[in-house]
Amino acid sequence: MKRIIWLIPFLILAGCTPREQSLMPLKVGQTWTYEIKPGFQSDAIEVKVSRPLSVGPCQGYELTSGYGSTRLGWDGNTLLASQLGGTVYDPPLPLISPLGPEETKTWRGDVVLAGKTREGIARLSRKDVKTKVGTFDRNAVESIINLEVDGQKHEILTWFVKNLGIVRQEQRRDGILVNRISYLSGP
């Protein structure tokens, strides 16, 4: 009986870790390898969690690669991005958040690209899907961000698989595919 009582605080604490965070596990030193297709080229890149830093209201991390930096942090069950490649978001843009099937989350803020600050508005939604990782179909969560900046429509689609993180991301501008990354290995 004493053993069971002793375990209760640990079971309660273990239950407090937000479940969403397993969709993008972040720890200094973790690495992923992705195939990246900007335009018609293709390349393999390594993305590494290089250091802790603040991402808006929460503790986050900087992820670095040969294509630039990304800054992500979990604020409870919401993954925030204060920087995706060369674009900075203030306040941080929610990349994934617990939402129901018909729910959306709205974001308003500044988008800084190429040294210019513009106002942006985004709508985030998500859905549970199946996606191919290697040769296997996996359960995934697809995050859909529709962002409007200066009359241009941007779409960021990101697929997350539990304990692997981001397995695919596509970015479109006015419906035209600008960039795509696909998971090869990690973390």
Side-chain angles (χ1 to χ4, degrees):
M1 179 69 170
K2 287 183 182 180
R3 285 187 197 164
I4 292 173
I5 292 172
W6 181 77
L7 286 174
I8 289 173
F10 291 105
L11 294 173
I12 291 170
L13 287 174
C16 291
T17 302
R19 285 181 279 163
E20 296 287 307
Q21 291 187 17
S22 67
L23 291 173
M24 186 62 194
L26 294 167
K27 185 170 76 173
V28 172
Q30 285 180 307
T31 61
W32 290 262
T33 304
Y34 293 98
E35 177 185 38
I36 185 167
K37 290 185 178 184
F40 295 108
Q41 324 176 147
S42 179
D43 197 7
I45 62 164
E46 184 177 272
V47 176
K48 181 177 184 174
V49 180
S50 57
R51 66 185 176 118
L53 48 70
S54 293
V55 173
C58 60
Q59 175 63 46
Y61 297 91
E62 182 173 49
L63 289 73
T64 56
S65 75
Y67 282 83
S69 296
T70 293
R71 294 179 176 191
L72 302 175
W74 284 101
D75 185 13
N77 280 328
T78 299
L79 181 62
L80 299 175
S82 62
Q83 181 175 338
L84 292 173
T87 306
V88 175
Y89 301 93
D90 184 28
L93 179 70
L95 203 54
I96 191 167
S97 191
L99 298 168
E102 300 298 318
E103 284 184 280
T104 62
K105 184 176 202 160
T106 301
W107 173 91
R108 289 180 191 274
D110 290 331
V111 179
V112 183
L113 179 61
K116 287 186 162 184
T117 301
R118 300 168 178 97
E119 288 185 25
I121 184 168
R123 285 188 180 50
L124 169 70
S125 60
R126 69 181 268 170
K127 58 185 172 182
D128 294 331
V129 296
K130 291 271 190 194
T131 192
K132 205 166 260 319
V133 178
T135 57
F136 299 99
D137 282 332
R138 302 284 302 263
N139 291 325
V141 175
E142 180 184 4
S143 166
I144 302 118
I145 297 173
N146 290 298
L147 172 67
E148 189 168 327
V149 180
D150 284 346
Q152 271 193 332
K153 296 187 184 315
H154 301 262
E155 184 178 47
I156 303 168
L157 304 173
T158 309
W159 290 261
F160 296 87
V161 170
K162 186 177 177 181
N163 299 323
L164 290 182
I166 295 171
V167 295
R168 192 165 82 230
Q169 187 174 69
E170 297 178 359
Q171 297 178 20
R172 290 181 174 78
R173 186 177 314 121
D174 290 330
I176 298 168
L177 183 65
V178 175
N179 194 8
R180 174 186 293 147
I181 65 166
S182 299
Y183 173 91
L184 295 174
S185 66

